Amino acid sequence: MSEQPEHQESERPEHQESERAEHQEPERAEQQEPERAEQQENGESTFTVLVAAVANLGIALAKAVAGVISGSSAMLSEAAHSVADTVTELMLLVSLKASDKPADEEHPLGYGGARYIWALLASVATFVGGGVFAVYDGIHTLTHGEDPGDPLISYIVLAVAFLLEGYSLRTGLKQARGEADRFGVHIKRYLRHTPDTAVKAVVMEDSAALVGLVLAAAGLLGGQLTGSGAWDGVASLCIGVLLVYVAWVLGHANSELLIGRPLPPEMRAVVRAELLADPHVVDVIELTTLLQGPKEALVAAKVDFRDMSSAADIERACDRMARRLQERFPAIRRVYLDPTPGPAQDSGVSPAASSR
């Protein structure tokens, strides 16, 4: 039986080549599907970040002018907040571009990690450019005093900024909700665990911006009613603490992904079950998964095959299992399976006894 295919291949090489080409066409199509999905996702993320960047740039200029005219430290802190957000979004755009490069000889696993490096730098910019400045300005106002100016222009700028930030947040939430629905999870869970830190950053920063606007308005109102600049200083301090918290959350999420985060436990259980479902597999001795990007994951496993399986059986089983995993989870781009003898074989148990 084993000689017949070799004989047919030698007699009809053109026929065999055409069959291979026919089989390779759907394979290439399947491989291109996750790439198209990732390109679409990157396009949505880019649009979301662009909307946030344009909105924050305009808001930063308006807040700075209003802060200088009114003499409000809370408004100046909000201006620093918006400048930090603009820098953050520019870095996120760089991260999306850098991570979009295909794998090459020098970087065989791709450039997915570049996204998290730039996103980590963006969180540092939020911490230094926004949080530290706001805390310093608040302390300076409380210790040196401040005469509240005319808050009218500040109220107008805050109202316009609230509308623009709200639109930017709506764009980010729309994308996040779509992804959460696709995975069948609540949006809060998606934002907590998503490897797409660009969308997470936009949603968190815009949410913090809306809270900051309310705090700045409260500081202005308190100063207007009491004639004391302390309210403005307290508002500035609160804005600074809020920004430090957002920067810490985003920095922690990106550092976790840079260090190496596995697939969620539910997905790992399904991957293990898919491997064990193959008739030639006895056990999955070790399973390692790694998120390499928002739409890119790696699976590596040490698999114990039946002792009666031939080398050809094992090769076909490995190919079959890799296909099943990639069909089930298109984000799994790379599957590495290592045939490894199980503990029963290492301890000298007979092949018949260890096979099942």
Side-chain angles (χ1 to χ4, degrees):
M1 292 296 291
S2 61
E3 295 177 358
Q4 188 175 356
E6 296 177 4
H7 178 65
Q8 288 177 350
E9 186 175 354
S10 63
E11 288 184 350
R12 295 185 298 170
E14 294 180 2
H15 176 67
Q16 293 291 336
E17 288 297 326
S18 64
E19 283 186 351
R20 286 196 196 98
E22 289 175 0
H23 285 298
Q24 286 172 353
E25 284 301 323
E27 289 174 19
R28 281 194 291 266
E30 289 175 3
Q31 291 171 354
Q32 289 171 356
E33 281 300 324
E35 292 177 5
R36 283 196 291 267
E38 183 175 8
Q39 289 172 357
Q40 181 181 2
E41 176 68 18
N42 282 344
E44 292 177 357
S45 297
T46 301
F47 176 74
T48 300
V49 174
L50 273 173
V51 169
V54 172
N56 279 311
L57 181 59
I59 291 169
L61 294 173
K63 286 177 180 176
V65 172
V68 171
I69 293 174
S70 65
S72 168
S73 64
M75 284 301 297
L76 291 175
S77 296
E78 271 298 298
H81 180 179
S82 295
V83 169
D85 284 352
T86 303
V87 173
T88 294
E89 266 104 43
L90 290 175
M91 286 186 173
L92 291 176
L93 287 174
V94 174
S95 78
L96 292 172
K97 185 67 175 177
S99 64
D100 201 30
K101 296 178 184 178
D104 54 37
E105 208 170 304
E106 296 297 323
H107 301 85
L109 297 181
Y111 291 80
R115 175 183 294 231
Y116 303 126
I117 292 174
W118 281 101
L120 181 62
L121 292 174
S123 66
V124 173
T126 300
F127 176 80
V128 176
V132 173
F133 176 83
V135 170
Y136 165 78
D137 200 41
I139 294 173
H140 183 271
T141 299
L142 289 174
T143 55
H144 291 76
E146 178 185 273
D147 295 327
D150 185 4
L152 179 60
I153 188 171
S154 295
Y155 285 133
I156 295 172
V157 169
L158 288 174
V160 174
F162 197 91
L163 293 175
L164 293 175
E165 293 284 8
Y167 176 75
S168 177
L169 177 60
R170 176 180 172 273
T171 304
L173 286 174
K174 182 180 178 182
Q175 182 182 349
R177 279 199 193 95
E179 289 298 304
D181 291 343
R182 193 164 66 84
F183 287 106
V185 297
H186 193 273
I187 186 171
K188 287 184 180 179
R189 178 175 172 80
Y190 171 78
L191 288 173
R192 190 179 299 117
H193 299 287
T194 178
D196 191 349
T197 52
V199 175
K200 183 173 184 174
V202 170
V203 171
M204 285 200 68
E205 287 173 357
D206 286 343
S207 300
L210 292 176
V211 175
L213 291 172
V214 173
L215 289 172
L220 287 170
L221 182 61
Q224 186 180 9
L225 294 176
T226 63
S228 171
W231 290 92
D232 210 34
V234 171
S236 184
L237 275 174
C238 291
I239 292 169
V241 171
L242 176 65
L243 289 177
V244 168
Y245 171 74
V246 170
W248 181 84
V249 171
L250 294 176
H252 177 72
N254 284 290
S255 63
E256 192 178 52
L257 287 160
L258 279 172
I259 294 169
R261 201 173 85 186
L263 290 171
E266 299 85 357
M267 288 184 68
R268 294 202 300 271
V270 174
V271 168
R272 183 179 292 273
E274 287 285 351
L275 296 176
L276 289 171
D278 194 272
H280 289 281
V281 173
V282 174
D283 191 18
V284 177
I285 301 170
E286 184 180 323
L287 176 63
T288 302
T289 63
L290 180 66
L291 283 168
Q292 298 178 294
K295 298 290 180 183
E296 191 171 353
L298 176 149
V299 171
K302 290 187 175 183
V303 182
D304 181 16
F305 289 91
R306 294 182 183 276
D307 297 327
M308 303 306 293
S309 299
S310 65
D313 290 333
I314 293 174
E315 288 175 357
R316 284 192 290 268
C318 288
D319 183 64
R320 187 166 55 244
M321 287 185 286
R323 286 176 183 277
R324 280 207 308 265
L325 288 176
Q326 290 169 337
E327 287 172 3
R328 184 74 179 270
F329 301 112
I332 296 178
R333 300 295 184 85
R334 300 171 182 87
V335 180
Y336 302 111
L337 301 176
D338 178 19
T340 305
Q345 292 165 302
D346 291 338
S347 61
V349 179
S350 66
S354 63
S355 178
R356 67 177 187 272

